[in-house]
Amino acid sequence: MDIQILQQPESAIAKITIEQNEELIAEAGTMIAMSDFINVSTTLRQGKGGGIMGGFKRMLAGESLFLSVFRCYQPQGEVFLAPSLMGDIITYEMQGQELIVQSASYLASASTVDMDLGFQGFKSFFSGESIFWLSITGYGPVILSSFGAIYEIDVDGEYIVDTGHIVAFERSLDFRIGKANSSWLGAFLGGEGLICRFFGQGKVYCQTHNPGNFGRLIGSRLPER
């Protein structure tokens, strides 16, 4: 599988070349174009949630359920993918470690990569904002997207990131959620909201724009129906 990122950084798309009998898993609805000999099917997101019934429970909770599976039956099949929001794309190579990814930032992965929907460490904090998290394990490439530019931070000790700007982080890091200000009232009136304080060694991937803030800004300017 060969992955090329085109049109970086503000309108990135991923061009994935897959070989015969290879499979590509992608977030449903992200395909732009593909070779005519690639077969596409839809599947339930797999994980610890308990098969089909677990999947429907997650769907009722507001979590994304479906994935597209691209199967190539000839050499050199091409698939072009892009996220819903304008931004950047990176490839992260899984080698048996665990990566925690904001679900909106997951774009695609090799079929040898496993994911579980609903990482509980963050879900309880962000359920009110409809932000859910994936636990990614296994081997092979994962394609991540961001709203705006994406950049990595090498944490060695302690580092603070606004929760709305987190794309992904390596599970080698410990974390604690807190307020940016000394008081809850000051934190929210100041517009900073919640922050995540990371500890240890590992990488954090951030996006330059906060989708939640952008949605609220645009929504406040739309005419009433």
Side-chain angles (χ1 to χ4, degrees):
M1 183 177 297
D2 178 68
I3 302 171
Q4 299 179 53
I5 310 302
L6 311 174
Q7 309 301 323
Q8 287 180 295
E10 70 277 356
S11 299
I13 61 174
K15 176 187 177 184
I16 303 101
T17 303
I18 50 180
E19 295 299 331
Q20 190 168 1
N21 298 321
E22 274 192 321
E23 288 186 349
L24 173 71
I25 313 297
E27 186 71 19
T30 58
M31 190 272 290
I32 298 175
M34 67 179 185
S35 302
D36 64 351
F37 51 82
I38 293 178
N39 176 267
V40 185
S41 60
T42 302
T43 184
L44 291 172
R45 195 187 293 273
Q46 299 298 309
K48 302 174 184 176
I52 293 178
M53 289 309 297
F56 280 117
K57 289 178 182 178
R58 295 193 298 269
M59 182 175 66
L60 292 173
E63 302 178 31
S64 178
L65 180 65
F66 297 106
L67 295 170
S68 295
V69 181
F70 299 87
R71 294 183 178 89
C72 189
Y73 294 102
Q74 296 182 29
Q76 299 289 301
E78 294 182 352
V79 180
F80 288 83
L81 303 175
S84 299
L85 295 174
M86 295 177 65
D88 205 355
I89 295 174
I90 64 167
T91 301
Y92 181 93
E93 192 69 27
M94 297 297 301
Q95 297 177 338
Q97 73 276 44
E98 182 178 7
L99 184 72
I100 306 302
V101 178
Q102 181 190 162
S103 59
S105 294
Y106 171 82
L107 187 63
S109 59
S111 60
T112 51
V113 171
D114 300 316
M115 71 180 78
D116 181 42
L117 182 61
F119 172 63
Q120 296 298 319
F122 269 177
K123 181 181 175 183
S124 59
F125 289 102
F126 300 130
S127 57
E129 301 181 22
S130 298
I131 299 177
F132 299 94
W133 298 82
L134 302 171
S135 173
I136 307 290
T137 55
Y139 296 84
V142 177
I143 306 174
L144 305 176
S145 65
S146 65
F147 184 34
I150 189 170
Y151 57 97
E152 69 177 61
I153 298 169
D154 285 305
V155 179
D156 187 4
E158 185 174 343
Y159 210 88
I160 297 171
V161 181
D162 181 280
T163 55
H165 291 267
I166 300 173
V167 170
F169 65 93
E170 294 176 338
R171 196 62 185 93
S172 58
L173 291 166
D174 293 323
F175 63 90
R176 187 171 68 243
I177 304 295
K179 55 185 182 297
N181 200 288
S182 58
S183 70
W184 284 109
L185 181 62
F188 285 101
L189 290 179
E192 294 301 327
L194 296 173
I195 56 96
C196 184
R197 193 181 299 270
F198 291 100
F199 304 90
Q201 290 185 325
K203 294 183 183 296
V204 179
Y205 294 87
C206 299
Q207 56 193 1
T208 56
H209 301 308
N210 184 323
N213 289 347
F214 178 77
R216 286 187 286 272
L217 176 65
I218 296 300
S220 66
R221 287 162 169 72
L222 294 176
E224 295 184 5
R225 290 187 174 181

